[in-house]
Amino acid sequence: METSQPQRLPPNSELSVQNAQYRMMATYMPHMYVLNIVSALLIAEVFGKVAPPTEVFPILTLLLAIAAYRLSYWLNPRLAETETFRSIQRTVIQAPYYGFAYFALLTYWIGNLLPYGTESQQLLACFYIALASFCAISFNANLPRCVYAVLLGGSVPLVISLVHVGTESALILAALYIANIAVQVIAVRKQNNDFVAAVRMHLIAEASRQDAEMARSDISRVANTDALTGLANRRALLNAISSRAAEDAQGAPFALGLIDLDGFKPVNDLYGHTAGDEVLFTVANRLKLSLGPDTIVARLGGDEFGFILVDPPKDAALLQGIAQLALDSIDKPIALDEGTTHITACCGIARYPDVATAPNELLQRADEALYAAKRSGRGSALIYDQELESRQTRRLLLETRMRASIADRSFDLAFQPIQDLSDNTIVSYEALARWNDPLLGPVSPGEFIPLAEQIGLIGPLSDVLFDRALQEAATWPRGVSLSFNLSPLQIHDPRFALRALATLSKHKMPPDKLIFEVTETALLKDLDRAATVIEQLRHAGIRIALDDFGVGYAGFSYLERLTFDKLKIDRSFVSGMTDDKRKRQIVKAIVEMCHSLDIKCIAEGIENDTELVHLRAIGCDAGQGYLLGRPGPPPLLQADGADVRATA
């Protein structure tokens, strides 16, 4: 059997009951005292003719003074402004004493006047006391203590006075008065109980309403607050954007900023999720302090934060400076129990209504600015403006056209020769991607290759180019190899080796005619997985070259952990080496290291005879550059077994 939960009576409920009693008194007390003043004057008029003035007027004056004083209290227009719970409580407590004193004095006055009057005058005086008592009891029905005070001060002495008169009329009047008083007392008790019950039910209903409001407020707070950091969450930020956009449609602008942490995942991987939570909490506090109390700061989820700047500066440099200060506050060491970590962040900002007139559009613009900031490098802050919009428009067009070009396999290849510096023989050609779109015209590899990596198309693009390159290279002489650049996605794909061998088999090309070039940055993401893929390729007979050596993060460590067949010295060391002794020494040291590790050494970016002569002098195995041959269409090579030589 279910039992209902007891209804909660709020604290200070008795004070609330007293407050309600006070309101009732404030309504009826002025009427009661006006009635008493009029009646007292009428009695004085009747007995003033038969009783000595000393019996009539002194007490009459005191009664009128008390009544006037209390009447002025209840009619005071400032009473509602000055009343407090304490003053209300005091008034309610004091009311019975005023009632008792007034009616006791009234009864005493009438008792002194009765001997001087006729029977009719005596009955009139008693009727006056009875009428005043009835009115007082009725007016104070919701305050039983006042009723009892009136009975003690007025009704009991009145009955005694009527009995003392002794006439038949007086006795009948006394009996009727007692009967009416008894009925009134019973009615007053019931009325007061109902009144108190009604007040308490009202209090319970009000308390329930307040509880419901608090519950709704708590639910809303929980629904709009990030549990970890205490910041507003994504929902709250989106609601704030919508509300402010609606309010400021004709008013002040605002700016939306999105912040994404750089390198947060390694913190979780290295120190655990507890440390990651501590980092997020620290970042949240730093953002609140740096952006100020008037800025709405939110955690959108994961390691992404957002903020709304009210009335941002119009100057773009100042707005970017505010964002940069927030990023600088993050870019400080964070002490953890497990050690100290350090992370950076990027920020994208969009201003409303300058670049967007709808909340979703504003969020998209800020996200695009954030994405552009992350491409610019760690710790960058960018504002969405016309220049960025133009770049984004071109980026979208490039992405659309790139998907179409991959689908219809319309990308081209250029081939640049790599020459053996000892005998000028071309030992291989490097396949280089080219794109001449019907709508966009020629697009630089420096533009479309990074874009393909960012939008996840580098895999399909590389597959198309690889198939085209093998189709060309399959007809080359045995001594001429194909060099093909692997993307980071391919070098970390455990199934890539099988796909590469399947494509080689399709074109009937021996694995030892293929050289895959990988960069240090491609290896950086997951060295262990890359090592597995490289070993699978080398085990199948495919050779591996380390490209752009010297400009990466830890080139020598890769040589220690991985096995390479060739190493390509970055063009930044070759260019200008004839005039720079340090560059010459570095190149020489790399060449000697390669020889000691039994790795073929290739110099990139050879553009003049002096560089070529020096590279031959230090024993560099092969070279590549405009001096030896520019990238061009597929080479027309002689049949297998022919000697292929460059004309440099």
Side-chain angles (χ1 to χ4, degrees):
M1 179 177 178
E2 294 185 359
T3 58
S4 58
Q5 293 292 329
Q7 294 175 310
R8 183 176 73 86
L9 193 63
N12 298 326
S13 59
E14 290 305 318
L15 289 178
S16 299
V17 172
Q18 290 177 349
N19 184 48
Q21 292 171 333
Y22 178 85
R23 302 298 172 191
M24 298 295 293
M25 292 172 62
T27 301
Y28 295 116
M29 286 298 100
H31 303 292
M32 187 189 77
Y33 282 111
V34 168
L35 177 62
N36 279 319
I37 290 173
V38 173
S39 300
L41 291 174
L42 291 176
I43 292 299
E45 175 67 21
V46 172
F47 281 92
K49 300 174 182 178
V50 296
T54 55
E55 295 290 341
V56 177
F57 296 107
I59 296 180
L60 172 65
T61 303
L62 185 57
L63 288 171
L64 293 178
I66 295 174
Y69 169 73
R70 297 304 295 167
L71 182 62
S72 65
Y73 171 81
W74 291 110
L75 294 178
N76 183 2
R78 297 187 58 190
L79 183 62
E81 300 176 7
T82 58
E83 64 189 13
T84 61
F85 263 126
R86 186 178 297 276
S87 64
I88 289 173
Q89 186 180 31
R90 183 173 59 249
T91 300
V92 172
I93 292 174
Q94 291 176 352
Y97 298 105
Y98 280 111
F100 177 81
Y102 184 85
F103 279 94
L105 182 61
L106 176 64
T107 304
Y108 174 77
W109 181 50
I110 297 298
N112 288 342
L113 296 179
L114 288 180
Y116 298 102
T118 63
E119 181 179 357
S120 61
Q121 290 174 328
Q122 292 174 342
L123 292 176
L124 179 62
C126 291
F127 176 76
Y128 161 65
I129 297 177
L131 179 62
S133 299
F134 284 144
C135 290
I137 291 171
S138 298
F139 292 157
N140 293 280
N142 296 315
L143 193 59
R145 292 173 62 247
C146 277
V147 173
Y148 301 146
V150 170
L151 291 176
L152 290 176
S155 299
V156 173
L158 173 62
V159 172
I160 294 173
S161 297
L162 289 173
V163 172
H164 180 71
V165 171
T167 63
E168 182 178 358
S169 300
L171 294 175
I172 293 173
L173 182 60
L176 291 174
Y177 182 72
I178 291 173
N180 277 277
I181 287 296
V183 172
Q184 263 197 321
V185 168
I186 294 173
V188 163
R189 289 179 61 85
K190 184 177 186 310
Q191 183 177 344
N192 178 68
N193 290 337
D194 292 343
F195 173 77
V196 172
V199 171
R200 289 179 174 171
M201 286 301 296
H202 172 74
L203 294 175
I204 291 173
E206 180 65 19
S208 299
R209 184 187 66 80
Q210 292 177 358
D211 288 345
E213 287 184 355
M214 291 179 62
R216 284 194 296 269
S217 177
D218 289 342
I219 292 173
S220 176
R221 179 178 55 80
V222 171
N224 290 282
T225 302
D226 177 60
L228 174 63
T229 63
L231 298 177
N233 59 13
R234 175 181 289 273
R235 174 180 177 177
L237 186 73
L238 295 179
N239 289 339
I241 294 171
S242 299
S243 299
R244 189 163 292 279
E247 293 173 3
D248 293 340
Q250 302 292 332
F254 65 94
L256 170 66
L258 298 180
I259 293 177
D260 189 74
L261 303 185
D262 302 319
F264 176 71
K265 185 178 182 299
V267 175
N268 277 334
D269 295 341
L270 183 61
Y271 298 115
H273 289 282
T274 301
D277 290 346
E278 188 175 347
V279 168
L280 293 174
F281 185 79
T282 302
V283 169
N285 287 334
R286 290 179 178 180
L287 286 176
K288 284 192 297 184
L289 289 175
S290 62
L291 292 171
D294 296 331
T295 301
I296 300 174
V297 183
R299 180 187 174 216
L300 306 184
D303 60 348
E304 188 175 1
F305 295 82
F307 60 88
I308 295 177
L309 282 177
V310 180
D311 192 21
K314 295 181 180 180
D315 185 85
L318 293 177
L319 182 56
Q320 188 170 2
I322 293 175
Q324 197 63 56
L325 286 175
L327 299 183
D328 291 343
S329 71
I330 298 174
D331 188 11
K332 295 177 181 177
I334 299 176
L336 304 173
D337 292 340
E338 299 82 357
T340 300
T341 188
H342 182 275
I343 59 174
T344 58
C346 290
C347 178
I349 303 177
R351 183 196 290 269
Y352 181 94
D354 295 358
V355 299
T357 55
N360 289 339
E361 186 181 11
L362 182 70
L363 190 64
Q364 181 181 351
R365 295 289 183 265
D367 193 57
E368 290 172 359
L370 172 62
Y371 196 69
K374 292 184 76 67
R375 293 199 306 271
S376 298
R378 294 186 171 219
S380 299
L382 286 180
I383 299 174
Y384 191 93
D385 53 16
Q386 293 300 321
E387 181 182 352
L388 181 58
E389 184 175 7
S390 299
R391 294 202 302 268
Q392 291 299 113
T393 301
R394 176 169 175 80
R395 175 186 173 86
L396 182 61
L397 182 59
L398 281 171
E399 179 179 346
T400 303
R401 295 301 304 159
M402 183 182 296
R403 293 182 186 277
S405 297
I406 291 174
D408 59 23
R409 305 174 68 87
S410 60
F411 279 87
D412 297 320
L413 284 171
F415 295 86
Q416 186 175 24
I418 299 175
Q419 184 182 122
D420 188 324
L421 298 185
S422 64
D423 59 6
N424 296 338
T425 303
I426 295 177
V427 293
S428 62
Y429 283 89
E430 181 180 358
L432 302 171
R434 294 293 184 265
W435 185 21
N436 190 3
D437 186 75
L439 295 180
L440 300 174
V443 183
S444 167
E447 184 176 14
F448 72 79
I449 293 295
L451 177 61
E453 293 177 346
Q454 293 162 9
I455 62 178
L457 292 179
I458 191 64
L461 174 59
S462 295
D463 290 342
V464 169
L465 296 175
F466 184 51
D467 187 73
R468 289 278 302 276
L470 289 185
Q471 184 179 357
E472 294 291 340
T475 63
W476 296 351
R478 183 75 176 177
V480 181
S481 301
L482 169 69
S483 284
F484 190 85
N485 292 280
L486 289 187
S487 69
L489 181 66
Q490 291 169 313
I491 198 62
H492 293 100
D493 184 356
R495 295 169 296 182
F496 173 72
L498 291 177
R499 294 205 310 272
L501 291 174
T503 308
L504 283 168
S505 176
K506 169 186 171 183
H507 293 286
K508 299 179 181 180
M509 178 171 166
D512 60 0
K513 282 187 65 175
L514 177 62
I515 303 168
F516 278 136
E517 297 186 9
V518 297
T519 62
E520 296 179 47
T521 52
L523 299 172
L524 182 64
K525 183 178 179 181
D526 190 335
L527 184 58
D528 291 335
R529 183 175 294 183
T532 301
V533 174
I534 288 174
E535 286 305 312
Q536 291 173 346
L537 295 171
R538 294 190 75 253
H539 183 73
I542 299 171
R543 289 171 289 174
I544 306 296
L546 180 59
D547 195 12
D548 299 334
F549 182 81
V551 295
Y553 296 93
F556 289 98
S557 66
Y558 296 131
L559 293 176
E560 177 188 2
R561 297 187 59 179
L562 304 174
T563 301
F564 296 99
D565 300 285
K566 297 177 182 292
L567 183 149
K568 301 183 77 172
I569 304 173
D570 187 73
R571 68 184 65 235
S572 62
F573 293 102
V574 176
S575 177
M577 63 180 293
T578 55
D579 299 322
D580 190 330
K581 182 179 179 180
R582 290 178 61 84
K583 283 188 177 182
R584 291 198 302 272
Q585 291 174 337
I586 292 173
V587 172
K588 182 180 179 181
I590 295 174
V591 171
E592 291 176 350
M593 176 192 68
C594 289
H595 290 167
S596 65
L597 295 175
D598 196 21
I599 298 175
K600 294 292 184 180
C601 183
I602 304 170
E604 295 182 295
I606 304 174
E607 296 186 357
N608 58 62
D609 292 326
T610 307
E611 293 170 352
L612 180 60
V613 169
H614 182 77
L615 289 168
R616 283 173 173 163
I618 62 175
C620 185
D621 299 296
Q624 181 180 7
Y626 283 179
L627 178 68
L628 304 179
R630 293 176 176 269
L636 297 175
L637 303 180
Q638 301 177 19
D640 194 12
D643 186 22
V644 182
R645 294 180 179 273
T647 58

